[in-house]
Amino acid sequence: MSHCDKMVDAGRRRFLGGAGFAAAGAAVATMVPVQAKAAPGAARVDYPSNRLANISDLKPNEPVTVAYPDTDAPGVLLKLGKRVPGGVGADGDIVGFSTTCPHKGFPLNYNAGDKTLNCPGHYSRFDCESGGQQVWGHATQNLPQYALRVDDKGDIYAEGVDELLYGRLSNVL
Amino acid sequence: MAYKRQIDRLPIVPKDAKEFNVTCHYCIVGCGYKAYTWPTNKQGGTAADQNKFGTDLSKQQGAETEAWYSPSMYNIVRQNGNDVHIVIKPDKDCVVNSGLGSVRGARMAEMSYSQQRNTQLQRLTDPMVWRYGQMQPTGWDDALDLVARVTVAVINDMGEDGLFVSAFDHGGAGGGYENTWGTGKLYFGAMKVKNIRIHNRPAYNSEVHATRDMGVGELNNCYEDAELADTIVAVGTNALETQTNYFLNHWVPNLRGTSVDKKKAEFGSEPVERGKIVIVDPRRTVTVNACEVEAGKDNVMHLAINSGTDLALFNAWLTYIAGKGWTDKAFIDASTKNFDKAVAANKVSLEDAAKLTGLTVDQIQKSAEWIAQPKAGNARRRTMFAYEKGLIWGNDNYRTNGALVNVALATGNIGRPGGGCVRMGGHQEGYSRPSDAHVGRPAAYVDKLLISGKGGVHHIWGCDHYKTTLNAFKFKQAYKKRTDMVKDAMMSVPYGDRTAMVNAIVGAIKKGGLFAVDVDIVPTKIGEACHVWLPAATSGEANLTSMNGERRMRLTEKYMDPPGQAMPDSLIAARIANNMERVLREQGKGQYADKFKGFDWKTEEDAFMDGYHGHEAGGEFVTYERLRAMGTNGFQEPATDFKDGKIVGTKRLFADGKFKSKDGKATFMETQWRGLQAPGKEDERKKWPFLVNNGRANITWQNAYLDQDNEFVMDRMPYPYIQMNPDDMSELKLKQGDLVEVYNENGSTQAMVYPTPTAKRKQTFMLFANPNGVQGNVVSPGVNEFVIPNYKQTWGNIRKLADAPEGVKHLSFKSLDYTA
């Protein structure tokens, strides 16, 4: 995928924060014999808090390719220049989305002209200014958007995703 | 903020989950799916040996993986009385969709009745009757007794013509061979009901009379033909939105050029290349855009004709092609008749056709070349013709349909690989009924009769005229008035006194009232006027057979329980018959009662064996057991044999050059242009400024009967949109999302403004059949000679009602067109 060359340094992120536990928990719960003690599992996956970029790395309407919650889950950070749903930063205009189409998993392209993410596979498109709402398409969910946090140094952290990511049955593997 | 489910993981389908064959119950395409169910206290694991897919799910899966499902493909439902997990996901091994899921079908699990997860709790669980001024639950015996007694009383008084029926005639949900047979045997077998209509039109008639009269059944090719054609001609069909996976899986490979190897394998030395497409549609749709993206603008010709002038274009094609000698003379001589007659009668110059259609002479000429100009080596060009509601619900249905079939026959494109002249279809098909000959032709204009006070009892099966008929505004006014008379009468006597109740109802009917019985899966808009609701099961809650647009028949296996007391329509019909028989015997009408024998079915399979298996061509080779074994690929009707454990089907109709007529020949039709044919349309066009074109959108299925209770859909489409050119919006001082009134002399309705720069000035497009804005309200009662409605050619005016309401403010109003 063309996004890969722009991926932020993997070493800067903490991968699989709670994933090992969640996955193992699920597996154990299934496989243990009847008399064994059930393993407790969390109700939700534990998302890592990963630094994706610094505010100074972002230029208006120029996509910065990232990955979250791990390197196999490509995404994008955008500074849209106007306050939008899910937006963070002083202007409430910084958003992050998965760039894997939730229909069949093709990589989405950013159209800076109308600030949409578009799928060359089957023409689905998602509006970055409307919380990733599918403008038109085949996906049965809107585009997974990141829960973002900006610290006082201007570092942007992703700390969650609001829909299931394509190609995984747990957002954290 | 757009709707988000906040689901971050899903239960994994375990290795030993039960597996069921499923055909999507929404559109004609009938994509193959698999349903997996397993007990609620179990789950699969990520290790390859712990899940159904044999895949290591601890890793990210790639594009088009089989080993993923979205939250909309998951639910918890009741199966044999127990709660189970269910996943319904597209089947990669189905040749129809090859694993693709549409935005409709991929929500089947989420659109299932689930008390556990609060989905589709609108579903009817009990028979309901009008009691003490509101709808109240009752038992089947009570409801059926009331229906039978009132129906028999009306027949006693008015004969069978006093019984009006509205019934589905299709396949998929709300239809299928079992259920069309059940209703058909009741109304056409036991009785001879002639005041009957179909779900989307006001009479009992074919949408494609002309092609049938010419001897050319309308579903005559196979989906692979779209991969093999040199040129596809798409008339009034927005296939990407309404036959989505047929378009994606079979048209796109041809437009991309990836089916060239298939063409070479099929056609040997014949010259082949990437396909071209001609699209006839006044509107620039997402289909046009996608075709240009895939094939390049040079291979796509969008003929944006003046609304309703298709016929003039087709006659011009025939004239030009015949003049050039690009016809298939051998085929015409051997398999058709009246060619010369039709060419002479339909003759129109390119100049005259250009004037009528608004196209240029060059466009008509060039499109005719794409259709019929021989290829290198004088090889016949293979052209596939596909049409749907733009033609069917358009001006002069009969002649226009015939005119297109003329072109297909003249160029030898029926029964041949890469050819066909087919309707694209709406629902799946699933028609199996005794003869309807007694209905006559033209059939009764049922809506008109109901408006004028005719009939005493109305049985409605999976239809909602309040949303899906023409002249809907006036229909509703009359219908409410008539059914209210009966409601008021019912409130004047104690419900438990059956004799007094039936007398009160019959008394009100004699004064012009109407008693209405609604068989459906959810409460409907017309149901608000009805006195009895009977709860039906839908696809997957009962076994159901249907066929798709290439006559591919499959069995959807029952994978869950119907809600509450709901039953398959076939059995509801049988129980109505049983009750009518009982009441008639009670009244000493033994001879008439005998006609209602033969409804002792216990299961939907009994109805299937009595109907399809016993009565349809090739039905003797088809059983549930055999269909189960044929999986999601099924076979293409008609069946011709059962050999080596498989049902043998028919890939294309008329491949032997023999057509459906006494002499086996197809007949060319005389189809002269006669302007806007339906009464009143020409005046309407002159009087009102805006064309109110209308049709479907990708995201909603039919009249949104299930979608109206789906958060994902209603978040995107809270009101029907009306696509408008931004300059028209400025002129009317409208902003995106504003609610507007669309009005004319027929009635008024509402829609939400969606700015659409590609829309021509004064040409709007409104979503059809939406519960929150019924386009049919502004459609005139004008029909063709066979009572086919003309929804598309509607003109009206637009005015603002309100600023965008709260439920609209979060919406994206960006272009629907994909951009690279």
Side-chain angles (χ1 to χ4, degrees):
Chain A
M1 281 178 280
S2 59
H3 296 296
C4 295
D5 56 349
K6 286 188 191 166
M7 275 184 187
V8 293
D9 176 16
R12 282 190 287 169
R13 289 189 306 278
R14 186 165 62 86
F15 294 122
L16 306 174
F21 167 74
V28 169
T30 310
M31 300 307 292
V32 287
V34 181
Q35 65 271 31
K37 198 180 165 209
R44 291 183 64 85
V45 301
D46 290 322
Y47 284 102
S49 176
N50 288 356
R51 180 186 176 278
L52 300 183
N54 188 276
I55 279 188
S56 61
D57 300 332
L58 298 180
K59 293 182 190 133
N61 207 19
E62 281 189 21
V64 171
T65 300
V66 296
Y68 182 81
D70 53 66
T71 44
D72 288 332
V76 67
L77 272 188
L78 288 160
K79 182 173 171 56
L80 295 171
K82 77 169 207 195
R83 192 167 291 275
V84 293
V88 297
D91 303 321
D93 67 340
I94 297 168
V95 287
F97 292 98
S98 161
T99 50
T100 302
C101 182
H103 174 226
K104 294 304 285 182
F106 289 88
L108 303 171
N109 302 319
Y110 185 65
N111 176 346
D114 70 359
K115 296 172 183 164
T116 55
L117 284 159
N118 290 260
C119 182
H122 310 97
Y123 332 114
S124 300
R125 47 198 258 111
F126 303 89
D127 189 349
C128 300
E129 295 181 302
S130 299
Q133 185 168 57
Q134 184 169 245
V135 183
W136 186 94
H138 316 286
T140 52
Q141 60 196 83
N142 292 310
L143 193 61
Q145 183 168 4
Y146 300 154
L148 297 177
R149 174 175 64 87
V150 182
D151 72 7
D152 47 14
K153 295 194 292 289
D155 285 338
I156 305 166
Y157 290 84
E159 302 190 321
V161 180
D162 58 10
E163 275 282 4
L164 192 68
L165 296 168
Y166 181 88
R168 46 179 75 191
L169 293 173
S170 169
N171 271 351
V172 176
L173 293 172
Chain B
M1 182 76 187
Y3 167 71
K4 296 293 173 71
R5 292 185 184 80
Q6 299 292 353
I7 286 175
D8 54 17
R9 59 181 166 181
L10 287 173
I12 294 172
V13 182
K15 205 177 170 180
D16 58 354
K18 285 191 211 164
E19 186 176 323
F20 302 87
N21 295 317
V22 175
T23 303
C24 176
H25 50 80
Y26 300 123
C27 92
I28 178 86
V29 179
C31 294
Y33 282 73
K34 289 280 185 183
Y36 303 97
T37 64
W38 68 100
T40 42
N41 62 341
K42 306 280 183 200
Q43 62 182 325
T46 53
D49 62 356
Q50 293 173 342
N51 62 66
K52 193 76 183 178
F53 315 109
T55 300
D56 178 0
L57 298 177
S58 70
K59 295 194 168 64
Q60 169 74 33
Q61 306 300 311
E64 301 184 295
T65 178
E66 271 189 284
W68 186 75
Y69 35 96
S70 67
S72 67
M73 300 180 203
Y74 168 79
N75 213 337
I76 296 177
V77 298
R78 194 61 67 88
Q79 181 186 70
N80 301 321
N82 299 311
D83 290 350
V84 293
H85 298 276
I86 188 165
V87 165
I88 307 178
K89 58 186 283 298
D91 181 9
K92 208 165 191 173
D93 296 328
C94 176
V95 295
V96 173
N97 54 313
S98 305
L100 288 171
S102 74
V103 68
R104 301 170 298 276
R107 287 185 285 114
M108 273 190 285
E110 187 177 73
M111 303 280 266
S112 298
Y113 177 73
S114 172
Q115 288 182 305
Q116 301 79 356
R117 294 182 77 241
N118 292 351
T119 55
Q120 293 298 324
L121 295 186
Q122 61 165 339
R123 288 289 303 278
L124 295 175
T125 55
D126 299 277
M128 304 281 282
V129 292
W130 183 256
R131 199 165 68 205
Y132 320 133
Q134 66 188 80
M135 296 307 285
Q136 303 268 16
T138 193
W140 276 107
D141 286 348
D142 176 62
L144 290 168
D145 181 74
L146 182 64
V147 170
R149 286 187 189 282
V150 174
T151 303
V152 167
V154 167
I155 291 173
N156 286 345
D157 194 37
M158 305 183 184
E160 287 176 353
D161 290 354
L163 168 57
F164 277 55
V165 177
S166 298
F168 52 78
D169 72 335
H170 53 74
Y177 288 112
E178 294 78 1
N179 298 324
T180 57
W181 178 253
T183 47
K185 189 172 179 179
L186 176 60
Y187 299 114
F188 294 168
M191 295 180 268
K192 294 278 179 243
V193 168
K194 72 165 201 263
N195 291 321
I196 178 168
R197 58 161 278 173
I198 297 168
H199 64 286
N200 58 6
R201 51 193 187 272
Y204 203 85
N205 50 15
S206 169
E207 294 166 306
V208 289
H209 265 319
T211 191
R212 291 183 185 179
D213 285 354
M214 295 165 82
V216 183
E218 67 271 19
L219 297 176
N220 47 56
N221 75 354
C222 59
Y223 282 177
E224 194 185 60
D225 285 323
E227 298 174 53
L228 298 174
D230 295 306
T231 302
I232 296 173
V233 177
V235 177
T237 167
N238 179 15
L240 175 56
E241 295 212 69
T242 54
Q243 295 89 8
T244 304
N245 291 330
Y246 175 28
F247 180 84
L248 292 176
N249 204 31
H250 300 281
W251 291 30
V252 167
N254 195 357
L255 300 170
R256 273 184 186 162
T258 51
S259 65
V260 165
D261 285 346
K262 198 175 235 183
K263 292 182 182 185
K264 282 181 182 156
E266 185 92 10
F267 305 135
S269 59
E270 182 180 317
V272 291
E273 55 185 18
R274 171 205 292 256
K276 293 181 188 299
I277 186 164
V278 177
I279 301 171
V280 182
D281 196 322
R283 180 172 68 119
R284 185 180 163 85
T285 59
V286 292
T287 300
V288 177
N289 182 63
C291 288
E292 289 180 357
V293 167
E294 296 299 351
K297 287 190 176 182
D298 290 350
N299 292 309
V300 180
M301 204 184 306
H302 175 207
L303 303 179
I305 57 169
N306 292 332
S307 179
T309 62
D310 312 58
L311 174 54
L313 173 65
F314 305 159
N315 282 347
W317 280 345
L318 182 70
T319 304
Y320 187 75
I321 288 166
K324 283 279 180 187
W326 293 341
T327 52
D328 187 336
K329 197 171 176 315
F331 172 80
I332 291 170
D333 290 346
S335 298
T336 72
K337 56 192 181 206
N338 295 351
F339 172 71
D340 293 332
K341 233 166 107 182
V343 170
N346 303 345
K347 193 170 181 178
V348 61
S349 71
L350 293 184
E351 290 71 20
D352 286 348
K355 216 166 139 189
L356 286 166
T357 56
L359 300 172
T360 64
V361 167
D362 186 54
Q363 278 177 307
I364 300 176
Q365 201 171 312
K366 198 168 151 202
S367 53
E369 286 169 8
W370 284 20
I371 290 168
Q373 189 174 44
K375 302 190 280 185
N378 210 32
R380 189 182 63 87
R381 191 168 290 276
R382 297 174 185 274
T383 299
M384 180 188 117
F385 300 83
Y387 59 94
E388 192 42 41
K389 291 294 193 289
L391 185 157
I392 289 170
W393 290 158
N395 176 40
D396 216 351
N397 161 300
Y398 188 77
R399 291 191 185 188
T400 306
N401 184 198
L404 188 63
V405 180
N406 279 343
V407 180
L409 284 172
T411 53
N413 273 307
I414 295 179
R416 310 273 186 63
C421 184
V422 295
R423 70 172 295 182
M424 291 290 281
H427 295 266
Q428 279 165 75
E429 301 292 334
Y431 190 92
S432 177
R433 276 180 180 154
S435 167
D436 63 356
H438 66 279
V439 171
R441 180 170 157 175
Y445 191 159
V446 168
D447 282 20
K448 211 177 209 175
L449 295 173
L450 283 170
I451 289 172
S452 67
K454 299 286 192 303
V457 60
H458 189 195
H459 293 185
I460 306 164
W461 297 79
C463 303
D464 197 348
H465 312 45
Y466 277 27
K467 286 186 279 185
T468 56
T469 198
L470 69 172
N471 198 24
F473 202 67
K474 300 215 168 64
F475 179 85
K476 280 179 267 201
Q477 288 169 11
Y479 199 83
K480 181 173 185 301
K481 205 168 163 185
R482 295 190 65 195
T483 50
D484 275 350
M485 288 169 71
V486 173
K487 282 184 177 176
D488 293 346
M490 289 177 79
M491 283 164 66
S492 69
V493 288
Y495 184 82
D497 186 342
R498 182 58 31 110
T499 309
M501 179 56 73
V502 172
N503 287 341
I505 293 168
V506 170
I509 289 170
K510 283 195 194 322
K511 289 180 195 143
L514 185 73
F515 182 77
V517 181
D518 192 17
V519 187
D520 212 310
I521 63 170
V522 295
T524 62
K525 296 286 182 192
I526 196 170
E528 289 168 15
C530 295
H531 310 92
V532 178
W533 298 344
L534 301 178
T538 191
S539 185
E541 299 164 357
N543 295 292
L544 191 75
T545 54
S546 302
M547 75 171 194
N548 78 348
E550 55 174 350
R551 294 162 285 100
R552 189 175 295 278
M553 181 179 186
R554 274 81 49 91
L555 168 70
T556 292
E557 297 178 272
K558 178 180 174 175
Y559 50 75
M560 63 180 282
D561 300 343
Q565 305 186 55
M567 288 198 295
D569 298 81
S570 56
L571 297 186
I572 297 175
R575 298 297 90 87
I576 290 176
N578 299 154
N579 277 273
M580 287 184 69
E581 183 188 352
R582 175 178 59 82
V583 170
L584 286 164
R585 287 203 196 289
E586 231 179 72
Q587 297 180 0
K589 299 188 170 75
Q591 211 179 340
Y592 190 28
D594 286 346
K595 290 184 184 287
F596 292 83
K597 283 181 172 173
F599 286 95
D600 48 358
W601 309 327
K602 299 276 180 293
T603 66
E604 60 273 22
E605 188 169 7
D606 295 340
F608 178 82
M609 294 307 284
D610 187 31
Y612 188 90
H613 180 79
H615 289 83
E616 294 305 315
E620 69 267 31
F621 303 114
V622 186
T623 63
Y624 271 16
E625 191 191 351
R626 290 175 182 181
L627 281 171
R628 236 173 247 128
M630 299 294 283
T632 56
N633 284 326
F635 74 98
Q636 287 176 273
E637 293 187 47
T640 56
D641 200 358
F642 180 72
K643 216 161 74 185
D644 306 326
K646 287 192 168 123
I647 302 168
V648 181
T650 308
K651 191 167 181 176
R652 294 181 185 87
L653 299 185
F654 317 124
D656 58 357
K658 298 269 182 298
F659 289 88
K660 224 173 166 179
S661 61
K662 274 186 192 147
D663 58 5
K665 293 197 171 191
T667 313
F668 282 90
M669 188 178 274
E670 294 180 34
T671 57
Q672 293 94 338
W673 167 254
R674 50 176 165 173
L676 289 178
Q677 168 273 328
K681 288 286 183 187
E682 183 58 35
D683 289 342
E684 188 177 292
R685 185 182 71 81
K686 284 183 188 141
K687 180 163 181 185
W688 300 98
F690 285 96
L691 173 71
V692 189
N693 191 1
N694 55 89
R696 307 291 187 181
N698 194 37
I699 196 169
T700 45
W701 167 242
Q702 225 245 354
N703 65 37
Y705 58 88
L706 291 179
D707 291 326
Q708 64 190 350
D709 195 25
N710 183 266
E711 295 304 323
F712 174 72
V713 175
M714 294 315 283
D715 178 71
R716 180 70 187 121
M717 196 79 82
Y719 296 90
Y721 59 49
I722 185 161
Q723 299 178 347
M724 288 183 79
N725 182 287
D727 292 335
D728 288 334
M729 286 172 58
S730 323
E731 227 169 74
L732 295 174
K733 300 193 173 50
L734 296 172
K735 304 180 298 297
Q736 64 186 30
D738 282 355
L739 288 187
V740 291
E741 184 169 56
V742 181
Y743 65 99
N744 58 21
E745 279 156 343
N746 307 309
S748 50
T749 188
Q750 65 175 5
M752 169 186 81
V753 176
Y754 202 109
T756 306
T758 53
K760 290 189 198 165
R761 289 298 305 268
K762 304 287 186 227
Q763 294 201 4
T764 66
F765 180 85
M766 183 174 165
L767 185 65
F768 185 75
N770 187 284
N772 296 330
V774 174
Q775 193 275 339
N777 279 7
V778 292
V779 177
S780 85
V783 292
N784 85 340
E785 60 270 50
F786 299 117
V787 202
I788 293 292
N790 180 342
Y791 293 104
K792 301 287 184 183
Q793 279 74 45
T794 294
W795 286 269
N797 208 347
I798 294 168
R799 61 188 161 213
K800 182 165 169 170
L801 288 173
D803 285 335
E806 194 57 35
V808 165
K809 286 178 183 160
H810 69 286
L811 286 192
S812 175
F813 285 98
K814 291 179 180 172
S815 163
L816 307 180
D817 283 336
Y818 166 82
T819 56

